[in-house]
């Protein structure tokens, strides 16, 4: 599946790969495609942006956020976990998916969070 408009060309990846009812999304980050700079300066704002991207990609596949069964979240700071939790609860207010959170460095300066998701449609 192609990346959302404006993000194609920033990395040699697919937004997602669908095999039957399984949709595996690549890691999403909050980048402005026009500038290549982060959108948002906080973990919660970047995570909200990312969950919007995930919803958009799933929508193209005929799915929605409620179809997500697993997320892997990468944070640059362990102390930002409560901010991630805020956005996660907003995105998944009922029956949240399984989640793993990893603290690590990210490829571009200013990125605070990256999220990958797996969804089952149908």
């Amino acid at each position: 599946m192609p990346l959302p408009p404006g993000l194609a060309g920033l990395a040699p990846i697919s937004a997602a790969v669908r095999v039957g009812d399984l949709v595996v999304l690549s890691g999403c980050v909050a980048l402005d495609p026009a500038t290549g700079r982060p959108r948002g300066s906080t973990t919660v704002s970047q995570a909200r942006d990312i969950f919007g991207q995930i919803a958009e990609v799933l929508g193209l596949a005929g799915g929605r956020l409620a179809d997500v069964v697993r997320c892997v979240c990468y944070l640059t700071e362990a102390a930002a976990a409560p901010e991630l939790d805020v956005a996660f609860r907003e995105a998944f207010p009922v029956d949240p998916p399984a989640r793993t959170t990893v603290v690590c460095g990210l490829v571009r300066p200013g990125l605070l969070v990256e999220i990958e998701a797996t969804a089952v449609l149908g």
Side-chain angles (χ1 to χ4, degrees):
M1 300 175 76
L3 290 167
L7 294 179
L10 292 178
I13 61 172
S14 295
V17 174
R18 183 173 182 169
V19 179
D21 289 338
L22 182 70
V23 180
V24 180
L25 284 83
S26 293
C28 297
V29 294
L31 275 182
D32 181 331
T35 65
R37 293 188 179 154
R39 286 192 294 233
S41 59
T42 64
T43 297
V44 71
S45 65
Q46 288 187 18
R48 285 175 175 146
D49 182 277
I50 292 165
F51 286 124
Q53 291 178 55
I54 291 170
E56 182 179 352
V57 171
L58 287 174
L60 294 172
R64 55 198 176 99
L65 282 177
D67 296 321
V68 174
V69 295
R70 182 170 190 265
C71 287
V72 179
C73 304
Y74 302 92
L75 292 175
T76 59
E77 301 277 336
E83 286 187 69
L84 174 62
D85 289 342
V86 168
F88 198 83
R89 284 187 181 104
E90 291 171 359
F92 306 105
V94 178
D95 297 326
R99 180 178 113 186
T100 299
T101 303
V102 179
V103 177
C104 63
L106 295 177
V107 176
R108 292 184 188 238
L111 292 177
L112 305 173
V113 59
E114 181 170 347
I115 302 170
E116 59 183 68
T118 302
V120 177
L121 310 183

